[in-house]
Amino acid sequence: MPRLAPLALILTLSAVPVALGLAEQVPPPPPPPVLPAAGQQPVPGGVRDPNQPQVRQVPVGTATISGAVFAADTGRPLARARVSVSGTANSVDAGRSAGPASPAGAGGRGGPVTVVNGVVMSGSVGVNRTVMTDTQGQFSFPKLPAGNYTVNVSRDQYLATTYGQKKPGRPGAIIPLTDGQQLTLKVPMLRGGVISGQVIGEDGEPLMNAYVRAMRYDTSSGFKRLYENRGATSDDRGMYRLFGLQPGEYLISVTPGNDASMSERAMIDAAAIESAVAAAKAQPTVPGQPPVISVQLAPPGDNPGPPAGFAPTFYPSATIAASATSLTIGAGEEKSGIDIPVQYVRASNIQGTILNPTPGVAVQVYIVADDPLMTGATSTPSARADPTGKFTLRNVQPGQYTIYAQTMQQPQFAMQVVNGTVVNVPQQQPQRLEDSQRLWGRVQVTVDGQSTPTVGIAMQPGKSLSGRVVFEAQVPPDLTKGRPIVTVSLAPSPQQVQFGPMPQAPIGPDGRFTIQGLGPGRYILRASGFSLTANAPIVQKSAVVNGEDTMDVPLDFTGDQDIAGATITMTDQLTELSGTLTDPGGKLGSEYTIIIAAADTRFWTPLSRRIQTTRPQPDGRYALRNLPPGDYMLAALTDLEPGSQYDPEFLKALATASVRVSLTTGEKRTQDLRVAK
């Protein structure tokens, strides 16, 4: 494929003039393996001798990252800020003999060198170092090897920060460091926002021990859902204070504590006693003893457990999130006087029974709200049914729900003596379910907060899904050799909640498979376990069931009948789109985010495989791999809110500020990009 000419385009959909705030923390690379110090012998099996001191290999070099941390609003230096540098040092040649100067780096490079038995080892070595700033906010990391790094900073009263981020909650810059480079950074930190106020009970008095949550909508999973960002408990004055909030829009909710629920239970019991006393007729008396009456305070039968609590109240005084008033908080801003009078809307405990329990098989029960916005906004309890099939789902907020039940592997316990006490210790391998034991059930329920719903769930056998795996590869794997480690499984779609392992099945020598015990749900059919080699990696191209590719449109399985004829196609014909991004000044554009999305709106779905994002490397190069063949929109953004790449409205706007590219099967295409002024 000939190299395409660079394009001049303006693709800035969201410009941010400053780079500061909270970034998504990039997990530090794993520490290097523990190697023996000079004169020590390696421990067989790689297990460290607990009687020997741990040896940590710290790569050193000739470069330095230093700088200053300061408050973004005042410019004041921030002492005792925790600064961490993490990344991967560049590799050096391996296997050369270690002469006298080798441990310091061959040829004066000062790369990441480890000497084992007189041989210099090399490769990508993780670097992770931390220091505290001094009274002037200064920090320094001397003797760093050449490599690519990120710098993260944290301090009380300020939002955690990654150098080079565009906004709070965004990734920071990758810093390329060369041998001998002396790099100086300035890292501004933003104060977190604050929301404070008072929780007021139904009697107009302050309510203590109420739990207050600051919640915000999040779309990182591809769906708009409410998630808790910060929580606090009201004090004896009913006061609460939510601090350390990222700039953004929040809903505030409050839930009365258990003491309110227990007080109401005590009042109900007291009323029952008073009513019984008032209605009691004269009882025969025993000389010297007062008459006694019997009052039933709890329902007969099984103990219902603790009473249900209350549903949350949303600011200013709403019982559902849709009617709440949102609050917008900026960096360092404080909103006080956000008082919330509590609405005492009772939650419910759902009593349930598995109507046909299977002896020796556990049943897990979980509840899912019909309204996806409720996910995260309220609790979604689950329970394990007891041996008789009884279960209780506690503190379910008013709403419409579906209760699911599925059989699980029954944990096995063994009695052991630990420190003189007999305890039950779970065994490593629980009893495996037979296909005939894979059962499921479901029932819909309405919770109104006024009653205690009672449900019965009839379990029924799962169905089967069968098909075959075919290969579009120059050298397809030989499925007749070795044990059946290649499997087909069903992964839940992004919308589905799943407990426990999903059903799976091995692929036979003829490429055929049958998955048994499948319950209803939305699934993506996947094959895994194929050996990958550098010369011929094999990936999944499609998984077609009933004429639809489940990798694009999840299978909506009703559980009513078996399904046959599924076809999974594996291929070694992989697509790749790569190139270099430069900014308007001709510099390498490593601080942009590149997005590619299918031009066909049918594929604008949550977590679609036809939508990808990436950040260019420090040298400006980017690569997007394993995209299905088709037509795409390609753009570079100065900032991208996590999850917004799946938003259809965002993608509509992207269509007018993007470059169109087409990919064919196995195509390796180069497309350089240049952001216009």
Side-chain angles (χ1 to χ4, degrees):
M1 175 63 63
R3 186 179 180 88
L4 300 180
L7 298 178
L9 64 159
I10 179 165
L11 304 175
T12 304
L13 298 186
S14 177
V16 179
V18 293
L20 38 93
L22 172 67
E24 295 174 349
Q25 297 296 321
V26 178
V34 176
L35 299 175
Q40 292 182 346
Q41 296 297 320
V43 180
V47 179
R48 182 172 66 87
D49 185 348
N51 297 320
Q52 295 291 335
Q54 184 176 359
V55 179
R56 180 183 178 187
Q57 303 294 329
V58 179
V60 297
T62 59
T64 298
I65 295 178
S66 60
V69 179
F70 60 93
D73 52 353
T74 64
R76 178 175 65 88
L78 297 179
R80 298 198 59 77
R82 180 184 176 91
V83 186
S84 298
V85 61
S86 60
T88 303
N90 294 337
S91 61
V92 296
D93 295 335
R96 61 177 184 271
S97 297
S102 294
R109 288 189 61 201
V113 178
T114 300
V115 180
V116 178
N117 297 329
V119 177
V120 176
M121 308 303 293
S122 68
S124 298
V125 178
V127 178
N128 192 354
R129 292 165 59 181
T130 301
V131 299
M132 305 294 287
T133 57
D134 60 19
T135 56
Q136 299 302 313
Q138 302 288 326
F139 67 90
S140 180
F141 295 97
K143 297 187 180 302
L144 287 171
N148 295 321
Y149 300 98
T150 58
V151 173
N152 300 304
V153 187
S154 61
R155 189 183 186 277
D156 290 344
Q157 301 180 359
Y158 290 84
L159 298 174
T161 302
T162 298
Y163 174 77
Q165 64 190 28
K166 299 293 185 182
K167 280 183 179 180
R170 305 293 196 267
I174 299 176
I175 303 171
L177 199 65
T178 58
D179 288 320
Q181 183 177 359
Q182 307 298 302
L183 181 64
T184 301
L185 307 178
K186 292 184 177 181
V187 186
M189 298 193 75
L190 292 169
R191 289 183 180 272
V194 176
I195 297 175
S196 62
Q198 186 178 46
V199 181
I200 303 170
E202 61 181 349
D203 56 1
E205 295 294 325
L207 184 64
M208 65 181 293
N209 292 333
Y211 188 67
V212 186
R213 298 192 292 177
M215 313 184 71
R216 63 187 306 181
Y217 286 107
D218 183 272
T219 58
S220 58
S221 64
F223 295 89
K224 185 178 181 181
R225 292 172 176 169
L226 272 175
Y227 289 93
E228 179 179 344
N229 184 265
R230 183 73 67 174
T233 302
S234 61
D235 62 18
D236 60 322
R237 304 165 298 168
M239 303 300 296
Y240 72 90
R241 180 179 172 87
L242 301 164
F243 59 90
L245 299 174
Q246 297 182 28
E249 190 173 354
Y250 292 89
L251 299 182
I252 309 301
S253 72
V254 58
T255 305
N258 289 334
D259 51 349
S261 180
M262 297 302 294
S263 296
E264 183 170 293
R265 180 61 176 266
M267 293 174 62
I268 294 174
D269 290 347
I273 294 174
E274 292 297 325
S275 176
V277 169
K281 298 180 179 180
Q283 300 290 329
T285 61
V286 177
Q289 294 184 7
V292 176
I293 61 173
S294 297
V295 180
Q296 183 174 292
L297 300 180
D302 295 336
N303 186 352
F310 295 95
T313 300
F314 293 87
Y315 175 81
S317 186
T319 57
I320 58 174
S323 300
T325 299
S326 62
L327 299 173
T328 301
I329 296 294
E333 182 182 3
E334 179 168 353
K335 287 187 182 293
S336 58
I338 306 301
D339 300 340
I340 308 176
V342 172
Q343 301 293 317
Y344 285 87
V345 177
R346 173 65 73 182
S348 295
N349 290 342
I350 300 177
Q351 304 288 327
T353 303
I354 303 300
L355 300 178
N356 50 340
T358 302
V361 177
V363 177
Q364 185 71 30
V365 182
Y366 56 98
I367 186 168
V368 178
D370 293 351
D371 182 0
L373 285 181
M374 290 185 65
T375 302
T378 60
S379 61
T380 52
S382 64
R384 181 71 61 89
D386 68 16
T388 67
K390 303 290 186 181
F391 65 88
T392 301
L393 297 169
R394 302 190 182 279
N395 286 321
V396 182
Q397 317 300 334
Q400 300 287 334
Y401 297 90
T402 301
I403 300 176
Y404 295 90
Q406 67 180 67
T407 52
M408 306 282 291
Q409 293 178 347
Q410 177 70 54
Q412 301 295 312
F413 295 90
M415 297 181 62
Q416 296 184 9
V417 179
V418 179
N419 297 328
T421 303
V422 178
V423 297
N424 288 326
V425 178
Q427 294 181 343
Q428 293 297 321
Q429 296 295 331
Q431 178 182 354
R432 187 178 182 86
L433 290 181
E434 302 293 337
D435 288 339
S436 60
Q437 296 175 319
R438 298 184 182 277
L439 309 174
W440 65 271
R442 65 181 172 186
V443 64
Q444 292 186 320
V445 62
T446 298
V447 177
D448 57 13
Q450 304 299 319
S451 60
T452 300
T454 302
V455 298
I457 302 179
M459 304 295 287
Q460 55 184 297
K463 298 299 182 179
S464 67
L465 187 150
S466 60
R468 64 191 182 106
V469 178
V470 299
F471 297 90
E472 295 178 355
Q474 294 182 353
V475 184
D478 188 351
L479 299 178
T480 64
K481 294 183 178 179
R483 59 188 180 90
I485 58 174
V486 180
T487 60
V488 172
S489 61
L490 284 159
S493 72
Q495 303 99 314
Q496 181 167 323
V497 178
Q498 180 65 39
F499 285 87
M502 294 297 300
Q504 62 179 18
I507 299 175
D510 57 356
R512 296 191 176 277
F513 64 89
T514 299
I515 299 177
Q516 301 283 358
L518 184 61
R522 290 175 57 84
Y523 301 108
I524 301 170
L525 188 60
R526 299 192 185 280
S528 60
F530 296 97
S531 299
L532 301 182
T533 65
N535 296 328
I538 296 177
V539 299
Q540 186 169 330
K541 176 182 178 181
S542 61
V544 177
V545 181
N546 294 336
E548 290 280 4
D549 190 344
T550 69
M551 298 184 71
D552 293 319
V553 182
L555 168 65
D556 194 355
F557 187 63
T558 62
D560 296 330
Q561 59 185 3
D562 298 332
I563 294 181
T567 302
I568 298 177
T569 302
M570 309 297 294
T571 182
D572 61 0
Q573 302 298 308
L574 311 182
T575 62
E576 179 178 299
L577 178 66
S578 61
T580 301
L581 176 68
T582 54
D583 66 14
K587 297 180 181 180
L588 299 175
S590 62
E591 295 185 0
Y592 290 83
T593 295
I594 293 177
I595 177 174
I596 190 168
D600 191 334
T601 59
R602 293 179 303 163
F603 303 122
W604 293 359
T605 57
L607 304 183
S608 170
R609 62 173 178 153
R610 298 175 186 264
I611 300 174
Q612 291 186 21
T613 63
T614 188
R615 295 284 296 274
Q617 295 298 310
D619 61 2
R621 293 200 58 80
Y622 73 92
L624 298 159
R625 298 182 176 90
N626 298 340
L627 287 161
D631 297 328
Y632 290 90
M633 307 179 296
L634 180 65
L637 311 175
T638 58
D639 181 55
L640 180 67
E641 181 180 354
S644 62
Q645 66 267 33
Y646 304 114
D647 183 356
E649 294 302 320
F650 171 83
L651 293 174
K652 287 180 182 179
L654 185 74
T656 62
S658 61
V659 171
R660 296 301 179 102
V661 294
S662 296
L663 296 174
T664 59
T665 300
E667 181 179 8
K668 304 294 189 293
R669 177 168 180 169
T670 300
Q671 177 71 72
D672 290 342
L673 301 174
R674 181 183 178 89
V675 179
K677 295 181 179 179

